[in-house]
């Protein structure tokens, strides 16, 4: 750990304690509300974007919590996010990489609906199927599957839906999220909240931190 942090044992104690009692998400959500209000938005969003990202798992990660993404050929875990139009995380779920997009979408919708009743619409890509759309209706959320325009050639970002990909890219700047090292999926989920807490704290204070690539 960096020299200006407490002893490793103390840091681990609070990481596990706050992960188990939800303090990590509470801190994260408070900052998200402040950042949204700073941008003159309501604290909770009315629209979210759902997506998944399969990441490799470290050697020591239990096989019972991992799988293989057949489409992307990635052995490990599936990091599932629901973000607002600013790319801020509203809900995060971590599943084995073998889990279908439908399972991820249903878990994310349950999490979003459990936190707020303001969300009315969710955008997803073509990997999500009608079962997610039907599940969204049960929560009063209109799930729209954004399809790629057949006339487009090469890479063409989809308006609003692409914002979740930017969030995935930001998370990959954090070493502990490039690969999943955690034995428990709850710890992997907590890592996402702490990474975004770091991002939002910098945005709220207009602070700049030199990247690790800086000489």
């Amino acid at each position: 750990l960096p020299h200006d942090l407490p002893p490793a044992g103390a840091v681990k104690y609070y990481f596990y304690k706050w992960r188990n009692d939800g303090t990590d998400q509470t801190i994260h959500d408070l900052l998200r509300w402040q950042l949204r209000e700073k941008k003159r938005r309501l604290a909770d969003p009315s629209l979210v974007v759902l997506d998944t990202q399969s990441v490799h798992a470290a050697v020591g990660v239990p096989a019972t919590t991992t799988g293989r993404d057949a489409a992307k050929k990635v052995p490990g875990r599936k990091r599932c996010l629901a973000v607002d139009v600013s790319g801020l995380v509203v809900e995060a779920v971590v599943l084995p990489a073998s889990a279908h997009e439908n399972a991820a979408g249903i878990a994310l919708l349950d999490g979003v609906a459990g936190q707020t009743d303001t969300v009315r619409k969710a955008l997803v890509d073509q990997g999500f199927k009608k079962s997610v759309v039907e599940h969204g209706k049960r929560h009063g959320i209109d799930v729209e599957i954004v399809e790629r325009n057949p006339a487009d050639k090469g890479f063409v970002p989809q308006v609003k839906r692409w914002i979740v990909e930017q969030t995935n890219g930001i998370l990959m700047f954090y070493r502990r999220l490039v690969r999943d090292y955690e034995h428990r999926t709850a710890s992997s989920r907590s890592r996402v909240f702490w990474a975004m807490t770091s991002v939002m704290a910098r945005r709220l204070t207009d602070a700049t931190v030199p990247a690790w690539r800086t000489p």
Side-chain angles (χ1 to χ4, degrees), residues 112-186:
V112 169
Q115 291 186 51
T116 176
D117 59 358
T118 63
V119 175
R120 292 290 175 263
K121 188 166 186 175
L123 303 180
V124 300
D125 63 20
Q126 292 176 271
F128 296 84
K129 305 303 179 184
K130 290 185 177 180
S131 59
V132 178
V133 177
E134 294 301 321
H135 192 76
K137 291 179 180 178
R138 300 189 185 101
H139 291 298
I141 300 175
D142 176 24
V143 179
E144 178 184 344
I145 300 177
V146 181
E147 298 184 358
R148 176 183 171 84
N149 187 344
D152 290 338
K153 295 183 179 180
F155 171 71
V156 179
Q158 296 167 322
V159 179
K160 289 187 180 180
R161 200 210 65 78
W162 180 249
I163 191 66
V164 67
E165 305 293 353
Q166 293 180 329
T167 302
N168 282 329
I170 290 172
L171 292 177
M172 295 302 280
F173 280 109
Y174 288 81
R175 182 178 61 85
R176 289 301 292 252
L177 295 177
V178 173
R179 184 179 293 267
D180 200 324
Y181 298 93
E182 307 299 335
H183 280 218
R184 296 180 57 180
T185 55

Side-chain angles (χ1 to χ4, degrees), residues 39-56:
K39 295 182 178 181
R40 297 183 179 180
R41 295 181 179 275
L42 296 176
D44 286 315
S46 60
L47 181 146
V48 294
V49 186
L50 313 184
D51 198 20
T52 66
Q53 179 187 38
S54 294
V55 294
H56 289 268

Side-chain angles (χ1 to χ4, degrees), residues 63-83:
T64 55
T65 63
T66 63
R68 181 178 178 83
D69 187 327
K72 300 176 181 176
K73 312 299 182 185
V74 175
R77 285 183 177 148
K78 185 167 287 187
R79 187 181 298 145
C80 319
L81 300 179
V83 306

Side-chain angles (χ1 to χ4, degrees), residues 4 16 19 40 130 145 175 188 199 210:
D4 55 347
Y16 295 138
R19 175 200 67 189
R40 297 183 179 180
K130 290 185 177 180
I145 300 177
R175 182 178 61 85
S188 301
V199 170

